[in-house]
């Protein structure tokens, strides 16, 4: 069961991330690339980089919050966060970023 988590446009390229609630993995799609990030069923934080163009690289981050069933998925380009979304790991349901507290980010 795939759910779209993030979708944005950067320099004419459509970037999107999907959450698979069965395998607890992320699928990142761009016009020229598609990568999968396996998260150990939502337990392991991961970073993967996709090279979209000769000068354009996108980092996809998956970070599980400490002692929670919540994770944050981020798209970063050249060290700048382009878009971020918090999700509930088991269903992929979106959670408001404003509800995340600092103590949840600490490992």
């Amino acid at each position: 069961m795939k759910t779209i988590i993030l979708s944005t446009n950067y320099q004419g390229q459509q970037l999107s991330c999907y959450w698979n609630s069965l395998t607890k993995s992320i699928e990142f799609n761009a016009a020229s690339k598609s990568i999968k990030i396996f998260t150990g069923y939502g337990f392991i934080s991961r970073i993967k980089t996709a090279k979209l163009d000769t000068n354009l690289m996108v980092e996809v981050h998956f970070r599980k919050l400490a002692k929670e069933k919540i994770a944050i998925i981020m798209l970063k380009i050249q060290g700048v966060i382009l878009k971020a979304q918090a999700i509930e790991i088991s269903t992929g349901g979106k959670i408001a970023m404003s509800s995340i507290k600092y103590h949840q980010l600490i490992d």
Side-chain angles (χ1 to χ4, degrees):
M1 175 136 194
K2 263 185 359 182
T3 310
I4 188 158
I5 300 300
L6 293 172
S7 180
T8 190
N9 197 349
Y10 183 79
Q11 293 184 351
Q13 295 196 41
Q14 183 67 29
L15 310 174
S16 55
C17 284
Y18 296 87
W19 178 252
N20 186 323
S21 59
L22 295 176
T23 62
K24 310 291 188 263
S25 61
I26 300 168
E27 184 178 321
F28 169 76
N29 291 320
S32 58
K33 289 281 183 202
S34 179
I35 60 172
K36 283 196 177 190
I37 301 173
F38 297 100
T39 65
Y41 291 97
F43 290 106
I44 303 169
S45 296
R46 301 270 187 194
I47 299 172
K48 205 130 194 209
T49 304
K51 187 173 184 177
L52 301 181
D53 208 350
T54 54
N55 297 330
L56 182 60
M57 309 242 318
V58 175
E59 291 179 7
V60 182
H61 291 249
F62 172 83
R63 178 145 188 223
K64 184 185 179 306
L65 299 185
K67 300 178 186 173
E68 300 288 335
K69 295 179 181 177
I70 299 171
I72 296 177
I73 297 171
M74 293 183 288
L75 293 179
K76 286 175 93 175
I77 295 179
Q78 298 172 347
V80 177
I81 296 173
L82 184 63
K83 199 144 189 189
Q85 179 64 56
I87 64 165
E88 201 279 316
I89 292 175
S90 62
T91 65
K94 294 181 182 182
I95 297 173
M97 291 293 288
S98 61
S99 67
I100 306 297
K101 307 256 187 291
Y102 177 76
H103 71 86
Q104 292 174 301
L105 296 172
I106 300 170
D107 290 327

